[in-house]
Amino acid sequence: MFKRILVPLDGSGLAEAVLPAVIYLAERFSATIILFHAIERSARTTIHGQRHLSTPDEASAYLSEIVKRLQSSKLNVETDLHSTGEPDVARSIITHVSELKADLIALCAHGHTGWRELIVGNIAQQVVQLGTTPVFFVRPGETKIATSFECHRILVPLDGAPVHEPALPVAMRFAKATGSAIHLINVVPTPGTLSAEQAGARLFLPTTMAAVLEMAQRGAGEYLQERLDELAKQGIQATAEVVRGDVAPSILNVMQRSNADLICMATHGRANIDAFWSGSVTPKILAQAGAPVLLIRVTGEEPIR
């Protein structure tokens, strides 16, 4: 499924926190790793407390060092260095995804002023909005040191909407390649976690709204059972549950409780950064998930975000 993995690196040890997961993916999918660096125009002299790569020679030497480290695992590694001084590194990544025929982008969630501001608010938003390439996010731990990665259980949030189901076949292929089990989750709101629009209806028709939510829970259970039957036919070990509550916190709670090693979920591109942040489930998951997140870009109606 993933044959060419693009790995943007800025020269910092923090950015390299993504490498153990990339090695794991490359080994399981027999994929080529593409180490990408773009010299940033008017870049600051340090990044994450380390010297920022500001010349082609420095960047080339750095990438060569990483190549030697990865090739010790007998991996196929390529490098791509852009030395012209990119005004927008995020857009440079997007531009070269197609050129380099990458089918997965692997990023460490961090940034100049805090990873939320730059990576999630800029790179992720642009990659998800403008491209269709899946994005694999790794959030470094408190020590900010790369740690090993293995995948034994994949959490797949589904809401019953066909537009979000492309995440499931990706998770299935991932499970087959890694020998992982899949845990499906469908989150149904409680009266206290309804959206503003739905809450208005609850005030006027509380009994009706409660009945609607109970029906939704039963329907979610039937929907997940159908998905479990599909997974069983593919020989994939799988479980499922319906959870009541707010979507993002529920997903995060199940991730911790089920010891999931990866969250695989569909997400929508948004028109701008403000829209990307406001009310969307995806950035909340990225900001708090203790496990990597694999985002699958979809288009269409947005029952949940």
Side-chain angles (χ1 to χ4, degrees), residues 67 90 129 149 205 272:
V67 169
Q129 176 191 341
F149 171 76
L205 301 167
N272 54 54

Side-chain angles (χ1 to χ4, degrees), residues 101-176:
K101 299 180 180 180
D103 45 27
L104 180 67
I105 302 170
L107 287 171
C108 178
H110 74 284
H112 294 312
T113 57
W115 72 271
R116 170 179 171 134
E117 286 77 6
L118 181 64
I119 296 299
V120 175
N122 189 358
I123 291 180
Q125 191 272 336
Q126 292 185 48
V127 169
V128 172
Q129 176 191 341
L130 300 177
T132 58
T133 305
V135 185
F136 186 94
F137 274 97
V138 172
R139 185 173 175 227
E142 295 299 323
T143 60
K144 300 180 181 179
I145 298 175
T147 56
S148 61
F149 171 76
E150 291 185 356
C151 189
H152 302 287
R153 182 176 295 273
I154 305 169
L155 178 62
V156 185
L158 295 172
D159 61 5
V163 70
H164 290 135
E165 288 195 352
L168 185 54
V170 173
M172 291 170 64
R173 296 174 191 170
F174 205 105
K176 288 184 176 181

Side-chain angles (χ1 to χ4, degrees), residues 190-239:
T190 61
T193 58
L194 291 170
S195 67
E197 296 82 359
Q198 295 168 328
R202 174 198 169 200
L203 291 176
F204 292 102
L205 301 167
T207 303
T208 301
M209 181 55 69
V212 168
L213 292 178
E214 289 300 324
M215 290 177 61
Q217 182 171 355
R218 290 195 296 271
E222 295 171 358
Y223 167 77
L224 290 181
Q225 185 57 56
E226 292 175 357
R227 304 289 83 75
L228 287 176
D229 292 342
E230 295 175 10
L231 292 168
K233 291 178 181 179
Q234 295 294 324
I236 298 173
Q237 181 181 352
T239 51

Side-chain angles (χ1 to χ4, degrees), residues 169-190:
V170 173
M172 291 170 64
R173 296 174 191 170
F174 205 105
K176 288 184 176 181
T178 61
S180 302
I182 290 178
H183 186 64
L184 306 177
I185 176 177
N186 187 301
V187 182
V188 176
T190 61

